[in-house]
Amino acid sequence: MVSTATQIGDFHFDNCLMNAAGVYCMTREELAEVDASAAGSFVTKTGTLAARAGNPEPRYVDTDLGSINSMGLPNQGFQYYLEYVTELQNQPGSKHHILSLVGLSPDETHTILKTVQASDYEGLVELNLSCPNVPGKPQIAYDFEMTTEILTEVFTYYTKPLGVKLPPYFDIVHFDQAAEVFNQFPLVFVNCINSIGNGLVIDDESVVIKPKQGFGGLGGDYVKPTALANVHAFYQRLKPSIQIIGTGGVRTGRDAFEHILCGASMVQIGTALQQEGPAIFERVTAELQAIMAEKGYETLEDFRGKLNYID
């Protein structure tokens, strides 16, 4: 019997597939659709201290090889999502879920996480370090000193299971430096990757999205090789207690299989979910199970991280 069940920390999931933050997760209604699907879990929209309308439209466009977006963190405010996942947590037989959060400053981040720490929610939390934080500064996770400062402060008060969402890294030395930072802390997971930032898509003679003069994050087929590289680089470098959620370019069972082969314990679907809807989870699960059956694998652990190299 082929099983796609998995575990993150102490949390068991019947299926390793779920949505990526930003897709089918803005409202309770969207989250409920994912929850009712074949997905093993959902992650909420990244919640900020106050609700945000986000950037002007058009801010998301499907492209031939995926998508481009500059959403601007539209969300209902972290309390909206915290209340929902806490409600679900207390329902018999509920799936486990992931609450995604970020502050627009370090102080806001600590205010949010202290609220979650004091709440009844006991599930997984994802701190999104792949958002620009201060004008003129890079994304938090590209600033290793700032990342270290924030996580050091967080773990003086936060005792619940916590992971981080990461942007893509492109240099081997940055994999080394980032892993050295993350290995200092009791993180439960890292999520690789957020979109590849600041791409530009042109239709005829115009950009296709309005914010930032058309510059936006790329998702879909464009990003899979980069996502796989990040998953495997961190699988090689992080201590075993920090698991990996693979995100980027997943639209088939084969794509999910490759993420797991590179070391992912769970796999998130973003652009393809936006394009196909929550029915995608049943299709991709069946395709993944078929590959596993063909290869004689009964569980994800039979092949997770066991990528072959050429001698």
Side-chain angles (χ1 to χ4, degrees):
M1 185 67 181
V2 171
S3 170
T4 58
T6 192
Q7 191 131 340
I8 298 285
D10 295 330
F11 299 87
H12 177 85
F13 302 89
D14 289 339
N15 191 3
C16 63
L17 301 177
M18 60 184 296
N19 68 305
V23 184
Y24 266 87
C25 59
M26 176 72 81
T27 64
R28 287 178 174 229
E29 291 75 21
E30 288 182 335
L31 289 165
E33 279 193 68
V34 176
D35 211 35
S37 76
S41 180
F42 67 61
V43 58
T44 65
K45 188 79 176 72
T46 298
T48 49
L49 191 59
R52 291 173 54 86
N55 290 336
E57 303 274 4
R59 58 193 185 185
Y60 172 97
V61 170
D62 289 322
T63 67
D64 290 343
L65 292 173
S67 65
I68 185 169
N69 83 87
S70 179
M71 301 298 290
L73 274 178
N75 73 95
Q76 309 277 354
F78 86 97
Q79 290 275 17
Y80 174 93
Y81 304 107
L82 174 59
E83 288 170 10
Y84 185 49
V85 293
T86 304
E87 280 176 29
L88 291 179
Q89 159 187 283
N90 296 323
Q91 293 178 5
S94 172
K95 298 174 181 178
H96 299 297
H97 303 104
I98 302 178
L99 176 66
S100 184
L101 308 166
V102 73
L104 300 182
S105 68
D107 284 347
E108 282 192 12
T109 294
H110 296 310
T111 298
I112 292 168
L113 283 174
K114 285 176 180 176
T115 304
V116 178
Q117 174 67 33
S119 75
D120 292 332
Y121 180 63
E122 299 294 338
L124 291 160
V125 168
E126 173 182 277
L127 176 59
N128 191 341
L129 296 181
S130 53
C131 291
N133 201 301
V134 178
K137 294 281 189 178
Q139 297 183 44
I140 304 168
Y142 286 155
D143 184 335
F144 296 124
E145 188 175 334
M146 174 64 75
T147 299
T148 303
E149 284 180 18
I150 289 174
L151 291 178
T152 298
E153 176 70 17
V154 163
F155 285 110
T156 64
Y157 61 82
Y158 198 82
T159 60
K160 296 178 179 182
L162 184 72
V164 291
K165 177 71 173 283
L166 301 177
Y169 296 99
F170 301 98
D171 198 305
I172 296 296
V173 71
H174 292 153
F175 292 133
D176 294 338
Q177 292 171 337
E180 186 177 352
V181 171
F182 301 136
N183 280 332
Q184 297 175 44
F185 300 101
L187 293 168
V188 178
F189 69 87
V190 299
N191 186 346
C192 314
I193 58 170
N194 207 328
S195 56
I196 295 180
N198 296 316
L200 193 63
V201 173
I202 297 169
D203 180 32
D204 191 18
E205 296 183 7
S206 173
V207 301
V208 298
I209 58 173
K210 184 173 182 178
K212 294 169 60 178
Q213 296 184 316
F215 285 75
L218 299 177
D221 291 358
Y222 298 111
V223 310
K224 190 178 80 167
T226 299
L228 294 177
N230 277 257
V231 168
H232 197 55
F234 282 113
Y235 181 75
Q236 292 172 314
R237 288 166 174 78
L238 293 177
K239 57 190 180 184
S241 58
I242 304 178
Q243 289 167 278
I244 298 166
I245 298 175
T247 307
V250 178
R251 59 183 173 84
T252 68
R254 176 68 202 187
D255 299 326
F257 178 82
E258 290 177 9
H259 269 272
I260 298 159
L261 191 66
C262 285
S265 293
M266 289 195 83
V267 178
Q268 295 185 344
I269 304 178
T271 295
L273 170 60
Q274 179 69 37
Q275 295 169 345
E276 191 171 326
I280 193 173
F281 293 111
E282 187 172 359
R283 174 180 66 77
V284 174
T285 301
E287 292 172 359
L288 174 58
Q289 288 173 329
I291 293 169
M292 291 172 63
E294 181 184 340
K295 292 178 175 291
Y297 298 140
E298 295 183 356
T299 71
L300 303 188
E301 292 307 308
D302 291 340
F303 66 98
R304 187 170 70 86
K306 295 179 181 176
L307 181 63
N308 293 315
Y309 310 125
I310 299 171
D311 291 332

